[in-house]
Amino acid sequence: MRWLRLTALIPAFCAVAAAKPPADSSVWTEALRQMQQARLDTVALEIDSRTIVHHSYTFHIDSGTLYPARPVPTESGPVRWAYYFRGRARFRFVPPVSIERDQLRRFYDVDSLDEAVGEALFLCDDSIRSLLEDDGLPVQMRPEKSVREAFDEFLEPLVQNENHAFTFSALRSIVHPRSEPFLLSIVRIKRRGLTAYMYDPYRREPVSLYRDHDIPGERFMELVCSYVSDIDETYATINGASTDQLLVHHIDIDATISGGGEYRGRATVACTVRDSTVQFVPMALHEKLKVDSIRNEYGLPVPFMRYTSDSHKSEALFVLLPDVRHAGDSISLSLFYHGDIAKREVGEFKVEAGASWYPRYGLDQRHTYSLKFRTPRDVTLIASAELLDSATTGDTLYTRWTVDRPARNISFNVGWFTRYDFTDSGLPPVALYYNEWLHQYILKGSGRNVYKDVGSDVVGAVRLFSKLFGAFPFEQLVIGEIIYPHGESFPGFIHMGANTFVSTDHWGEDHLFRSHEVAHQWWGSSLDYQTYHDQWLSEGFATYASLLYLQQEKGDERYYDKLGEYADEVISARKYLFFDGAESGPIILGRRTASTRTEGDYDLIIYKKGALVLHMLRTCLTDWTTRDDSRFFSMLADFYGTYAGRAVSTTDFRRMVEKHTRTDMGWFFDQWVYHNELPEYRFAYDIVADTVSGGWQANCRVTRDGGSESFCMLMPFEIEYADRSKDYAAKWVDERSSPFSLYVKKPVRKIKMNPFAAVLARVKQ
């Protein structure tokens, strides 16, 4: 039997990385095209007894036939890259940590996969090719129709709709292999369809598992599991280390926006190579923007691959450098592109200028920017940048802008705006750009003077958050109305949807929406998050900040009602008649909380549960005899002040909490952030006279269902006396059944467990 533990193998194929650059750089685009339209070769191999072991994955072949795909061209000649297997084999996938086992259970109803399989597809580099082919008996044949059809069926979900991501990853590792081999293995699991394991050493999280989500009108490879190779139950390494091969320093943008809203631009991305070698560069650009050409610092064309059919639009852009670059080399890539991301509709420009309106590499990097815009002279352009100068020539307005403070992303807005300025002593200036014409003539007079409400909320939120968290982090705050029902925050700049300029609702939803985007100036734009695992440090914190502003504007009752509403949504997720879904994942899953099995969970878990976690920390840091919660706000201010201008992790936040609690808070983060424990409590009590003190004693019992055996929480209690006065107490509840006594000084009307929605739990009493 042949065994290969791939983690220890350094393939001799690494020599390819030092090969000279190709004379014709189009060899890479041709290779990707051939991989997209792969066909089987006219040779097969009869193989037996061999095993591939790689991290969470094991594939054992008893016997069968191996059908190679036709080789693809590389600078060193044709290379084999894919194989279809038919025979007898066994596939195993066992995630090493509970978070990923739970994630597997959401999709497969089991926490590990161990399946007999009769066929598989492999995309691999030279090391795995050697294992698969070793001692195989060659057979010249034309593969029968059923084999060809099966090969196409297995390949289809990887390449459908001009998806180049998987073949790009394979080609990159084949040409420039790393110490740990690339492997993509697809099997058909009975009653569960096609499942793909991938190990890509170029990814920050190299281990991943996908399933082929295939329903009428919707098919894609859905990510199930994803993690770093050295992860363990401490989750200390959950973020891994950056695998970005390039460090982007500066992006220079030169753009024109026509009167009809068509965007045409050139963006030059200046980078330094961080890796030993780099040639294949994955980037992202708004799907509506078409790339015309790319040129390097010498003005020479650079090949790239992207969709060619409008029905296959996606942000993915794969740049194929014509020569290998090495550590320390400088690279400058100029991308020329155009599209309708500011298209004029209903009398206004419909601006889609989120984070992808310019080419991006490494989504967690921060860099500086310079911008030049040419726009019609009769419209206003605003940007999340400092205006250097402007001039008008004929019908065109020329403006120059700069961003000297490194930022993850920036944006712009353009339209027929009226500017309103809002000032408040000690606060930065707030400029609000609002389209009065749109509301008066298109929206039939809606929103008359509502801009004043928006400005008031923005200034009020800035004032409150400056007091709670620290000084506003930028020189000014610019608000621009957009024709979308959403908001997005950038450094010193906010897109705010036209819906909030129509009216201000009675229940406070507009207060929440407006202040949430303002809060991102602290949580997101200034204090950034490291990876998607930590995104709740932006969205959850901004959501909680907006609740604090709601409390200021609408009072305690509305604030606690909203917290209770969020808690009910989290607890009751998908517990509806006839709904097919799985329990929610933990906060630490970030964007992966949203899936076809857990629809809507990104907003529910990252925003709302993230805010509830902060509220529970407030519970833990409150002195319940006096209801003094100043320690909580001191902790938030310290966290912001310590890390402003930096990207932080959940571990960083835990350390800050422990600094202020002076105790190990691992139990709290394990329960509420790294796992999804949702307890249910039953509370009962009876009042007896205390003959010693002359008062009364409440004999209480709390019974808990749900949660692990070690689950614990500080639980507050509200004691309401017959005269309607109130006292508060808090007890640690750390057993399935917890009896305790509370001393009460006057006749009691009632005792309430979990006042103020202090703990995310269902309470029956």
Side-chain angles (χ1 to χ4, degrees):
M1 179 181 290
R2 300 174 187 83
W3 289 77
L4 180 63
R5 183 165 290 279
L6 298 176
T7 54
L9 184 62
I10 302 178
F13 195 57
C14 283
V16 173
K20 65 180 182 180
D24 180 6
S25 60
S26 67
V27 67
W28 307 124
T29 53
E30 181 58 30
L32 283 174
R33 288 191 188 99
Q34 290 187 23
M35 294 167 94
Q36 290 282 313
Q37 303 166 4
R39 296 292 180 267
L40 291 176
D41 211 341
T42 56
V43 64
L45 292 169
E46 299 296 333
I47 60 175
D48 61 12
S49 192
R50 58 202 66 201
T51 302
I52 300 172
V53 180
H54 196 266
H55 294 290
S56 316
Y57 163 93
T58 303
F59 195 88
H60 174 72
I61 295 174
D62 289 328
S63 62
T65 305
L66 196 66
Y67 300 90
R70 293 175 184 173
V72 296
T74 72
E75 59 188 19
S76 302
V79 171
R80 294 227 183 264
W81 63 283
Y83 297 86
Y84 170 73
F85 167 80
R86 178 171 284 186
R88 291 189 303 136
R90 193 160 200 92
F91 165 81
R92 295 186 182 92
F93 177 74
V94 184
V97 291
S98 57
I99 288 176
E100 299 298 339
R101 290 193 293 270
D102 290 343
Q103 185 71 348
L104 193 65
R105 192 180 295 111
R106 289 182 184 94
F107 290 89
Y108 292 91
D109 300 320
V110 293
D111 59 10
S112 63
L113 299 174
D114 187 351
E115 303 281 342
V117 295
E119 52 189 338
L121 176 69
F122 299 96
L123 276 60
C124 56
D125 64 14
D126 189 61
S127 56
I128 300 174
R129 178 198 66 79
S130 299
L131 171 69
L132 291 173
E133 292 187 354
D134 189 29
D135 294 337
L137 179 64
V139 180
Q140 289 293 135
M141 65 167 64
R142 174 177 171 78
E144 59 190 65
K145 182 179 179 181
S146 66
V147 172
R148 298 196 306 272
E149 289 177 345
F151 172 75
D152 291 342
E153 179 190 359
F154 275 56
L155 185 66
E156 169 60 21
L158 301 181
V159 300
Q160 64 183 335
N161 299 331
E162 298 187 83
N163 178 12
H164 300 288
F166 293 108
T167 52
F168 174 86
S169 293
L171 181 63
R172 177 171 55 180
S173 286
I174 288 169
V175 176
H176 299 296
R178 293 197 157 179
S179 58
E180 292 191 323
F182 172 86
L183 170 65
L184 198 164
S185 171
I186 307 177
V187 299
R188 189 199 313 278
I189 297 179
K190 192 177 297 183
R191 298 184 301 278
R192 292 179 177 133
L194 296 176
T195 296
Y197 165 88
M198 185 168 76
Y199 185 90
D200 183 353
Y202 280 90
R203 293 190 177 187
R204 187 166 190 152
E205 294 183 344
V207 184
S208 54
L209 188 84
Y210 297 84
R211 68 159 187 158
D212 180 19
H213 176 72
D214 187 6
I215 62 174
E218 184 179 64
R219 187 181 189 185
F220 58 92
M221 292 299 285
E222 182 170 22
L223 184 63
V224 176
C225 297
S226 178
Y227 47 91
V228 296
S229 54
D230 62 346
I231 196 170
D232 59 32
E233 288 291 352
T234 68
Y235 300 105
T237 62
I238 194 167
N239 281 344
S242 173
T243 55
D244 287 349
Q245 293 183 279
L246 301 176
L247 178 62
V248 178
H249 301 291
H250 185 78
I251 299 180
D252 178 73
I253 300 171
D254 190 336
T256 299
I257 300 174
S258 71
E262 183 186 53
Y263 176 96
R264 185 172 295 276
R266 184 269 304 151
T268 299
V269 183
C271 325
T272 299
V273 178
R274 299 174 58 187
D275 214 338
S276 55
T277 57
V278 63
Q279 190 165 24
F280 303 98
V281 181
M283 301 186 80
L285 184 66
H286 196 289
E287 63 180 22
K288 289 186 178 180
L289 291 168
K290 294 187 176 181
V291 179
D292 302 309
S293 66
I294 303 176
R295 294 188 176 272
N296 64 17
E297 60 268 34
Y298 307 111
L300 300 176
V302 176
F304 63 92
M305 290 291 285
R306 209 177 185 216
Y307 66 83
T308 58
S309 169
D310 284 347
S311 60
H312 299 155
K313 289 178 178 177
S314 74
E315 289 192 354
L317 170 64
F318 302 101
V319 180
L320 310 165
L321 300 178
D323 56 349
V324 177
R325 301 298 184 93
H326 301 279
D329 288 351
S330 295
I331 298 178
S332 179
L333 297 173
S334 293
L335 291 86
F336 299 84
Y337 56 103
H338 72 279
D340 292 330
I341 60 162
K343 189 175 182 180
R344 186 174 172 182
E345 294 183 4
V346 296
E348 183 57 284
F349 292 93
K350 193 175 182 181
V351 177
E352 299 179 58
S356 58
W357 63 278
Y358 53 89
R360 302 187 69 197
Y361 172 85
L363 300 183
D364 58 350
Q365 292 194 24
R366 288 184 166 205
H367 27 262
T368 57
Y369 303 79
S370 53
L371 305 95
K372 295 178 184 176
F373 281 99
R374 284 169 293 279
T375 53
R377 66 178 299 170
D378 61 335
V379 302
T380 301
L381 176 80
I382 52 178
S384 50
E386 178 187 354
L387 179 63
L388 296 178
D389 56 57
S390 64
T392 302
T393 302
D395 293 332
T396 303
L397 173 67
Y398 297 83
T399 55
R400 287 195 313 122
W401 310 73
T402 186
V403 179
D404 295 328
R405 179 175 171 177
R408 179 194 288 257
N409 50 56
I410 61 171
S411 191
F412 72 89
N413 200 353
V414 62
W416 284 274
F417 297 128
T418 300
R419 172 174 172 162
Y420 295 94
D421 292 301
F422 296 84
T423 59
D424 193 283
S425 177
L427 298 181
V430 173
L432 189 151
Y433 290 82
Y434 164 73
N435 189 326
E436 291 184 338
W437 182 91
L438 173 71
H439 287 269
Q440 182 175 356
Y441 295 102
I442 302 299
L443 300 179
K444 305 303 182 184
S446 70
R448 187 179 301 277
N449 294 327
V450 175
Y451 73 87
K452 295 179 181 178
D453 295 345
V454 177
S456 176
D457 276 339
V458 169
V459 171
V462 169
R463 185 189 306 112
L464 176 64
F465 302 154
S466 296
K467 176 183 177 182
L468 294 178
F469 311 137
F472 185 78
F474 305 102
E475 296 297 321
Q476 63 174 346
L477 181 57
V478 176
I479 313 293
E481 181 183 22
I482 58 170
I483 312 178
Y484 283 97
H486 78 97
E488 190 168 0
S489 190
F490 305 87
F493 185 85
I494 296 175
H495 286 310
M496 201 162 280
N499 55 299
T500 200
F501 289 87
V502 171
S503 63
T504 299
D505 72 291
H506 172 73
W507 294 102
E509 295 301 323
D510 284 295
H511 294 314
L512 288 170
F513 171 70
R514 298 160 186 166
S515 59
H516 177 99
E517 297 307 328
V518 172
H520 274 310
Q521 297 298 303
W522 284 263
W523 311 111
S525 292
S526 180
L527 186 149
D528 204 351
Y529 57 90
Q530 281 189 6
T531 75
Y532 74 91
H533 293 296
D534 312 306
Q535 197 160 0
W536 75 285
L537 300 177
S538 171
E539 298 298 353
F541 278 51
T543 299
Y544 192 63
S546 70
L547 287 169
L548 296 174
Y549 181 70
L550 178 71
Q551 184 178 27
Q552 173 182 281
E553 296 300 302
K554 291 292 186 178
D556 290 349
E557 183 177 355
R558 183 64 187 129
Y559 168 74
Y560 292 120
D561 283 349
K562 203 65 183 175
L563 284 168
E565 178 185 315
Y566 287 178
D568 287 343
E569 289 180 39
V570 172
I571 293 169
S572 303
R574 281 174 298 285
K575 292 180 180 178
Y576 306 113
L577 189 63
F578 306 128
F579 190 92
D580 181 24
E583 69 170 16
S584 299
I587 285 174
I588 205 68
L589 275 182
R591 63 174 180 268
R592 291 170 54 209
T593 54
S595 72
T596 57
R597 297 285 292 156
T598 52
E599 293 181 359
D601 269 16
Y602 180 69
D603 176 77
L604 178 67
I605 302 301
I606 305 308
Y607 287 66
K608 295 178 180 178
K609 185 179 179 183
L612 291 168
V613 166
L614 281 179
H615 187 63
M616 287 190 287
L617 278 173
R618 187 176 178 180
T619 297
C620 293
L621 273 75
T622 293
D623 180 345
W624 282 97
T625 59
T626 61
R627 289 186 63 192
D628 178 11
D629 55 10
S630 58
R631 275 203 306 163
F632 170 74
F633 288 104
S634 294
M635 181 270 296
L636 285 185
D638 192 6
F639 182 51
Y640 176 74
T642 300
Y643 292 103
R646 297 161 59 185
V648 297
S649 68
T650 298
T651 299
D652 293 325
F653 180 54
R654 173 184 163 181
R655 291 194 191 103
M656 182 58 66
V657 173
E658 291 175 342
K659 173 183 173 182
H660 287 261
T661 59
R662 299 180 182 179
T663 186
D664 183 351
M665 293 294 288
W667 61 272
F668 181 92
F669 284 82
D670 285 344
Q671 291 173 183
W672 300 113
V673 178
Y674 290 94
H675 295 91
N676 187 37
E677 301 196 54
L678 295 174
E680 181 175 294
Y681 294 100
R682 293 189 297 277
F683 175 55
Y685 66 92
D686 61 86
I687 307 295
V688 297
D690 188 333
T691 56
V692 176
S693 66
W696 290 266
Q697 181 174 287
N699 295 323
C700 307
R701 179 175 295 276
V702 175
T703 305
R704 173 174 59 82
D705 293 324
S708 62
E709 288 301 317
S710 62
F711 189 92
C712 63
M713 194 60 197
L714 181 67
M715 180 64 72
F717 296 85
E718 180 182 83
I719 306 164
E720 184 178 348
Y721 297 110
D723 61 5
R724 299 303 176 108
S725 63
K726 295 178 181 179
D727 276 335
Y728 295 90
K731 295 288 185 179
W732 284 100
V733 179
D734 54 6
E735 301 288 343
R736 292 287 181 185
S737 181
S738 300
F740 58 90
S741 297
L742 294 173
Y743 172 75
V744 291
K745 58 190 178 184
K746 294 185 289 187
V748 172
R749 181 172 180 265
K750 65 179 178 180
I751 299 176
K752 180 180 180 181
M753 178 177 171
N754 199 27
F756 315 114
V759 178
L760 177 55
R762 185 86 72 191
V763 175
K764 296 180 179 180
Q765 64 179 63

